[in-house]
Amino acid sequence: MKYDAASFADFRCWQCGHLVSSMPMLSGVNNRNHCPYCLWSCHLDLYSAGDRLSACKGQMRPIGLTMKRSRNKYRLESGGELMLVHKCMECNALSINRIAADDDAESILTIFQESLLYGYRLIQRCGHKGIDMLEADEAEKVHEQLFGQSVRLAV
């Protein structure tokens, strides 16, 4: 698939001020809306990734990690794609976003560790929206997906 550079708009992160490239060749995703440095996002999509139909446009704070659900009946339950969970600071909407190839792995790990401190109410709210936040006993899986090796972590 060929990409036209004009169809991908770079943007400046509202949270940390870094210039972010939206080129799929760099990020590995087609619908970039979060910063690879601080992982904050912008509430752009309403129904599906890339639809850009949300009127909110609020800042979305990364609050945790989840695993992408798969329709593949042969996929192991322990497998799957690591995803960021975001919460809109304006309207409180929750969404999940694919982790991009150029996202900072240490920042992702920090988001995971901070999510372990959140109260039951947020975790329950995510669950009601069909988002299963990763928990402390899944730390090894997170580390393996981010760094490609299995290591015991103190969380």
Side-chain angles (χ1 to χ4, degrees), residues 11 15 18 38 41 54 63 73-74 77 101 106 110 118-120 122 125-126 128 131 133-134 137 147:
F11 62 92
Q15 183 65 25
H18 278 95
C38 69
S41 184
S54 175
I63 61 167
K73 66 181 181 180
Y74 302 108
E77 284 303 313
E106 292 293 336
T110 299
Y118 294 143
Y120 178 73
L122 179 60
R125 182 169 173 245
C126 287
H128 287 305
I131 301 170
M133 298 272 279
L134 295 182
D137 62 343
F147 302 107

Side-chain angles (χ1 to χ4, degrees), residues 84-138:
L84 286 167
V85 179
H86 284 98
K87 179 183 174 202
C88 182
M89 303 309 290
E90 297 295 320
C91 70
N92 289 319
L94 295 170
S95 71
I96 59 172
N97 287 287
R98 292 184 72 187
I99 290 176
D102 60 348
D103 286 351
D104 182 65
E106 292 293 336
S107 294
I108 296 169
L109 188 58
T110 299
I111 296 301
F112 171 67
Q113 292 168 336
E114 289 173 356
S115 75
L116 301 177
L117 305 174
Y118 294 143
Y120 178 73
R121 292 180 108 187
L122 179 60
I123 293 168
Q124 187 178 31
R125 182 169 173 245
C126 287
H128 287 305
K129 294 287 187 177
I131 301 170
D132 296 323
M133 298 272 279
L134 295 182
E135 298 180 27
D137 62 343
E138 297 168 295

Side-chain angles (χ1 to χ4, degrees), residues 143-155:
H143 195 275
E144 188 174 323
Q145 288 233 357
L146 292 174
F147 302 107
Q149 56 192 12
S150 182
V151 172
R152 280 270 183 233
L153 294 177
V155 237

Side-chain angles (χ1 to χ4, degrees), residues 7-87:
S7 64
F8 297 100
D10 293 346
F11 62 92
R12 187 160 303 279
C13 176
W14 291 2
Q15 183 65 25
C16 70
H18 278 95
L19 184 62
V20 178
S21 173
S22 293
M23 289 295 296
M25 198 174 350
L26 299 175
S27 66
V29 294
N30 288 325
N31 301 302
R32 163 72 89 175
N33 69 347
H34 71 269
C35 175
Y37 307 103
C38 69
L39 306 174
W40 279 66
S41 184
C42 183
H43 192 175
L44 299 174
D45 300 332
L46 185 59
Y47 301 112
S48 62
D51 71 14
R52 304 304 193 240
L53 295 174
S54 175
C56 179
K57 308 296 187 245
Q59 291 188 53
M60 297 189 84
R61 181 171 59 102
I63 61 167
L65 300 176
T66 189
M67 297 298 276
K68 183 176 183 179
R69 295 186 178 179
S70 173
R71 293 189 179 127
N72 181 351
K73 66 181 181 180
Y74 302 108
R75 182 184 66 82
L76 295 174
E77 284 303 313
S78 62
E81 181 180 1
L82 205 55
M83 307 278 285
L84 286 167
V85 179
H86 284 98
K87 179 183 174 202

